[in-house]
Amino acid sequence: MVEWQYVVGALLRSLQTASVKITVVGSGYVGLVVGACLAETGNQVTCADLDARKIEGLQRNELPIYEPGLDAYVERNQAAERLAFTTDVAAAIGTADVIFIAVGTPPDEDGSADLRHVLAVATEIGKHAMREIVVVTKSTVPVGTAAKVAEAMARNARVPFHVCSNPEFLKEGAAIDDFMKPDRVVIGAESDFARSVMTELYAPFVRTGKPIIFMDIPSAEMTKYAANAMLATRISFMNEIANLCERTGANVDMVRRGIGTDERIGPAFLFPGPGYGGSCFPKDVQALVRTGTACGMRLEILEAVEAVNMRQKRRMFEKLTLTLGETLEGVRIAVWGLAFKPNTDDMREAPAITLIEALLDAGAEVVVHDPVAMGEARHRLGKRVTYAESSYAALDGADALAVVTDWNEYRHPDFERIRAGLRRPIVVDGRNLYDPAKMAALGLRYYSIGRCDPTPSAPAVIAHPLGASH
């Protein structure tokens, strides 16, 4: 039976109010992007979080994360009084038509998603909701979470509510464009009321004809994990092929082009590198594996994806030891790039951390540079490494350069300055940014991923290129 009364109610509300009142609980990466982008289209948005220090900073337009363009959205919509930040979660819930749950779901000890924060918010919504509401799980959560959210709300709810799953597909570094111009919007909803409200909410973002894909809630929850697991699989697959290319004399760049132009495969996520990191892929692959275990099945492909990624994160360290020698005690290594990818300061599960920890354990000295993530690095690494003011300053007196993150400023550096700054002319490039032939012509010993490396017949001797003296 069609829930016509709910549809009529939603339509009447859209005619009677200038904007939908939205509360986003959780002001981390996802919550901030969701809140700011929804405010940008005219909605009244309140972002609620219990972290008073974070909220006070946001009220001053000081963001706790780096995301290109987000600061302008926050400042503009606060000034227009469409976006507000508060620690009074109960009050923010009480005034809302739609509530997004965007709190963290960190991995538990066994790798499964920790839902304590999500369910705590659901309980608070049940206690404090004052009108018929749509509650949207925006956090990445395993199949079955929406049912648990509904159960937690129902214990205290005094008003009708509708639970939806609306997984996010935001790429760090491009999140604003991803939200404002989505490839698709996936919504798990099981009432006409919820579908009507969510259609109204997302209409401004799909005017170019991109689809809003409605489905049942478990399928929406699974879609998020399946998407990230597929992308992670492509990365690990290509890293395995790259490692095999090194042993066979093949060139992974040629192989990538050869398979990427196949329309059945496509070019995306086929670049070899030092392994994937960040807040999504490692956590989501682990969580999906644990979901399979809970359902009595092994997801063996994803187990292999995770194992390959862990090994790949050691590849740069292995290449450094191969060319510098087994003993790295006292050797100085410059590291360019700390964030797990460009255009973010996120170092969660970053390959740079694996490399730096291995170097420190081996007794090496490490000097680091990143255009954005230096503050986060100080928080994570403390005084165990040296922080360079510029990429070239990091080279001074270093025995080798390791390029870990493909920031734009590292793509076309002054190679003569690199050669002059290094004590030994060694570059280990985890992102294949440079041309091996050009590097060899410049007198640099260059090691990349999946391409023919110079034969390390012996550890490189100390050199003083271009008249440099150290």
Side-chain angles (χ1 to χ4, degrees):
M1 178 178 177
V2 177
E3 302 171 59
W4 59 269
Q5 66 269 36
Y6 293 144
V7 178
V8 171
L11 293 174
L12 286 174
R13 182 174 63 189
S14 70
L15 293 172
Q16 292 168 351
T17 62
S19 61
V20 178
K21 291 184 178 179
I22 299 166
T23 289
V24 181
V25 183
S27 296
Y29 181 85
V30 173
L32 274 180
V33 172
V34 170
C37 289
L38 288 173
E40 183 74 6
T41 56
N43 299 297
Q44 294 297 125
V45 180
T46 300
C47 290
D49 199 294
L50 295 177
D51 188 334
R53 185 175 178 180
K54 181 191 293 184
I55 291 298
E56 289 168 4
L58 287 166
Q59 290 170 341
R60 297 190 299 269
N61 296 313
E62 297 172 3
L63 274 61
I65 59 170
Y66 176 81
E67 176 62 36
L70 182 57
D71 52 351
Y73 272 50
V74 169
E75 183 173 356
R76 178 166 59 248
N77 285 289
Q78 277 206 100
E81 298 184 347
R82 292 189 297 266
L83 179 64
F85 298 97
T86 183
T87 56
D88 192 343
V89 177
I93 289 170
T95 60
D97 301 306
V98 180
I99 300 174
F100 285 86
I101 300 177
V103 295
T105 54
D108 217 333
E109 291 183 2
D110 64 351
S112 59
D114 185 345
L115 298 178
R116 284 178 295 177
H117 301 304
V118 170
L119 298 181
V121 172
T123 298
E124 292 301 303
I125 294 172
K127 290 178 180 178
H128 301 292
M130 303 297 291
R131 65 185 77 177
E132 187 171 7
I133 54 170
V134 174
V135 177
V136 185
T137 55
K138 198 68 176 174
S139 305
T140 299
V141 293
V143 176
T145 299
K148 294 178 180 178
V149 166
E151 182 181 346
M153 290 175 57
R155 296 191 189 105
N156 299 285
R158 295 166 294 174
V159 296
F161 63 83
H162 309 261
V163 176
C164 292
S165 172
N166 175 212
E168 54 86 12
F169 301 99
L170 306 177
K171 298 186 297 291
E172 292 190 47
I176 297 296
D177 278 349
D178 285 346
F179 196 98
M180 300 298 289
K181 303 172 185 177
D183 293 327
R184 80 292 197 200
V185 177
V186 173
I187 299 173
E190 295 178 352
S191 74
D192 288 334
F193 180 86
R195 284 187 283 269
S196 176
V197 170
M198 296 300 287
T199 298
E200 176 187 341
L201 198 62
Y202 274 105
F205 305 102
V206 293
R207 295 182 65 189
T208 59
K210 298 297 184 179
I212 298 178
I213 304 173
F214 283 103
M215 59 185 68
D216 60 276
I217 291 175
S219 295
E221 293 172 328
M222 180 61 77
T223 296
K224 166 65 175 181
Y225 280 103
N228 280 353
M230 173 60 78
L231 297 176
T233 299
R234 288 173 69 98
I235 293 171
S236 281
F237 169 80
M238 207 61 201
N239 283 333
E240 285 274 75
I241 295 298
N243 295 337
L244 185 58
C245 284
E246 291 183 14
R247 298 199 178 195
T248 61
N251 185 328
V252 74
D253 290 344
M254 299 296 102
V255 175
R256 176 178 57 79
R257 291 175 61 188
I259 66 174
T261 50
D262 187 323
E263 291 184 356
R264 299 167 300 174
I265 297 173
F269 285 84
L270 290 183
F271 288 87
Y276 58 76
S279 62
C280 293
F281 289 3
K283 175 174 68 74
D284 293 353
V285 169
Q286 291 177 16
L288 196 52
V289 169
R290 299 305 177 270
T291 297
T293 301
C295 293
M297 65 177 292
R298 286 185 61 189
L299 300 183
E300 296 179 69
I301 290 176
L302 296 186
E303 289 177 358
V305 166
E306 187 177 13
V308 167
N309 193 59
M310 296 301 292
R311 289 198 303 270
Q312 193 69 16
K313 286 185 176 184
R314 298 277 303 179
R315 287 292 290 149
M316 293 189 69
F317 177 73
E318 292 167 358
K319 287 175 177 287
L320 284 165
T321 57
L322 190 62
T323 187
L324 290 168
E326 292 291 331
T327 301
L328 296 182
E329 189 74 36
V331 172
R332 186 175 176 90
I333 307 296
V335 175
W336 281 4
L338 301 171
F340 85 96
K341 62 178 291 188
N343 297 318
T344 181
D345 61 353
D346 193 346
M347 289 180 63
R348 285 174 288 185
E349 303 285 343
I353 294 178
T354 301
L355 172 61
I356 291 168
E357 293 291 355
L359 290 170
L360 293 173
D361 288 345
E365 299 175 12
V366 180
V367 55
V368 302
H369 177 264
D370 188 283
V372 169
M374 296 290 266
E376 180 65 16
R378 287 186 172 92
H379 173 70
R380 288 180 176 270
L381 299 170
K383 298 180 179 180
R384 296 184 296 151
V385 302
T386 300
Y387 301 91
E389 293 183 0
S390 71
S391 57
Y392 295 112
L395 303 175
D396 191 25
D399 293 286
L401 165 64
V403 182
V404 189
T405 311
D406 50 335
W407 286 93
N408 282 339
E409 72 175 73
Y410 301 153
R411 289 179 176 270
H412 296 284
D414 185 334
F415 292 108
E416 289 192 357
R417 289 184 69 178
I418 292 175
R419 191 165 180 258
L422 292 172
R423 293 181 70 240
R424 314 191 211 187
I426 300 168
V427 177
V428 176
D429 177 8
R431 298 293 179 175
N432 291 2
L433 299 183
Y434 313 131
D435 178 10
K438 179 179 180 180
M439 298 295 278
L442 291 168
L444 290 163
R445 292 191 63 173
Y446 178 64
Y447 300 84
S448 54
I449 306 294
R451 303 187 291 190
C452 292
D453 290 338
T455 302
S457 57
V461 297
I462 296 175
H464 301 291
L466 302 184
S469 60
H470 301 284

